[in-house]
Amino acid sequence: MPAPTKGARLGGSPAHQRHMLANLATALFEHGAITTTETKAKRLRPYAEHLITFAKRGDLHARRQVMRVIGNKSVVHELFTEIGPRYENRNGGYTRITKVGFRKGDNAQLARIELVEALTVGQSAVAEAERARGTQFAGRKAPTGATAEAAADLAKESPTAAAVAVEAEEAKAAEATATESEATEAPATTETTEETTEGDAKDA
Amino acid sequence: MAVPKRRMSRSNTRARRSQWKATLPALSHCPRGHVVRQHNACPTCGRYNDRQVLDV
């Protein structure tokens, strides 16, 4: 048996609920942000983000699957050409819900659901720094390439970026010494060389 | 259909109604000093978490 959808049921019938979610998603993609009740916003969030995932995939099959939900072709076009590519570097969490007080008439809690901005260079650098620092999801990893450059640029602005910049330089220096030592040790013993290369692979 | 046999006394009515109580909303201050409901955008300056969410 499939797990029931989280959250409240909307409308009077399954068809009514489907229509409401589809219309809310269409309005969200058309305007970028909508104000609705908190209950509807909470139901809309996973639904809309699923559609954005299709837009990120961007092939014909994905487009047809979205067209089953959203009838407005211009909205689908905008979703696939602008909204999808904007979230290239973001893994989920494309919407933000903020509570904005109560509605006159029925005192329902209102919420504003909006599409979040694309990640900036600084934010991506910080995210990579968090990954590099080592979390429960990812092992420790020294920053390289664009991240190291961005961290060096932002070093004065944020302590995290400064730490990353230092780490990047250390990693570069360590790599240089490792390659030198490999060159000297290579003829003597092959086993130690293999160990050092494995260690490098983990560091890099 | 069930129908009351006796009129309810004024005392009993008032004792029941004495339990109708309003609860205090959880209030705090936004960074600009306005009184706000917690976890809600500020209705005065329209900001939440240093982000403008309302037209005011």
Side-chain angles (χ1 to χ4, degrees):
Chain A
M1 189 181 130
T5 316
K6 279 183 184 173
R9 303 280 96 76
L10 306 176
S13 64
H16 189 191
Q17 174 168 296
R18 272 200 304 277
H19 278 116
M20 283 214 287
L21 286 172
N23 288 337
L24 285 166
T26 309
L28 176 64
F29 296 139
E30 191 176 349
H31 300 285
I34 54 175
T35 303
T36 177
T37 62
E38 190 195 0
T39 310
K40 283 180 188 164
K42 283 187 170 178
R43 283 299 309 278
L44 176 59
R45 188 213 287 260
Y47 194 80
E49 297 198 355
H50 191 48
L51 293 175
I52 292 176
T53 309
F54 281 130
K56 283 173 79 176
R57 214 164 71 198
D59 55 12
L60 183 60
H61 181 51
R63 190 177 287 258
R64 282 176 177 161
Q65 281 176 305
V66 171
M67 295 285 272
R68 283 168 59 187
V69 174
I70 299 177
N72 190 335
K73 283 187 185 174
S74 67
V75 171
V76 174
H77 178 73
E78 195 183 334
L79 176 65
F80 274 72
T81 54
E82 287 172 29
I83 298 172
R86 196 202 301 171
Y87 298 131
E88 197 65 43
N89 299 323
R90 203 183 264 278
N91 300 319
Y94 313 120
T95 58
R96 176 187 299 128
I97 296 177
T98 315
K99 289 182 227 170
V100 292
F102 299 87
R103 181 159 66 192
K104 265 186 190 170
D106 63 356
N107 207 30
Q109 168 86 62
L110 293 179
R112 183 182 159 89
I113 180 166
E114 58 188 324
L115 299 172
V116 301
E117 314 77 25
L119 284 177
T120 62
V121 175
Q123 280 173 323
S124 316
V126 169
E128 201 162 332
E130 294 284 342
R131 276 201 296 282
R133 209 171 61 189
T135 62
Q136 56 176 320
F137 303 113
R140 195 176 170 76
K141 183 182 155 201
T144 50
T147 316
E149 284 169 28
D153 290 343
L154 296 168
K156 282 174 192 167
E157 287 170 37
S158 99
T160 322
V164 173
V166 170
E167 201 178 313
E169 278 179 26
E170 278 174 7
K172 205 182 272 180
E175 206 173 301
T177 50
T179 43
E180 277 173 27
S181 61
E182 262 179 50
T184 50
E185 281 173 23
T189 47
T190 44
E191 278 181 26
T192 45
T193 326
E194 273 170 24
E195 276 171 22
T196 47
T197 43
E198 270 173 29
D200 286 346
K202 276 171 195 166
D203 286 341
Chain B
M1 203 175 87
V3 175
K5 189 171 187 179
R6 292 276 172 212
R7 175 193 164 97
M8 198 184 201
S9 74
R10 194 160 69 179
S11 166
N12 272 342
T13 302
R14 288 176 180 173
R16 172 167 43 82
R17 289 189 186 160
S18 72
Q19 299 304 316
W20 297 0
K21 288 166 190 163
T23 50
L24 283 175
L27 296 178
S28 66
H29 293 279
C30 84
R32 297 185 177 181
H34 306 124
V35 175
V36 292
R37 260 176 188 271
Q38 292 182 339
H39 310 294
N40 273 262
C42 175
T44 315
C45 55
R47 293 167 70 81
Y48 186 76
N49 212 358
D50 287 337
R51 186 177 281 117
Q52 194 74 33
V53 287
L54 290 174
D55 296 330
V56 281

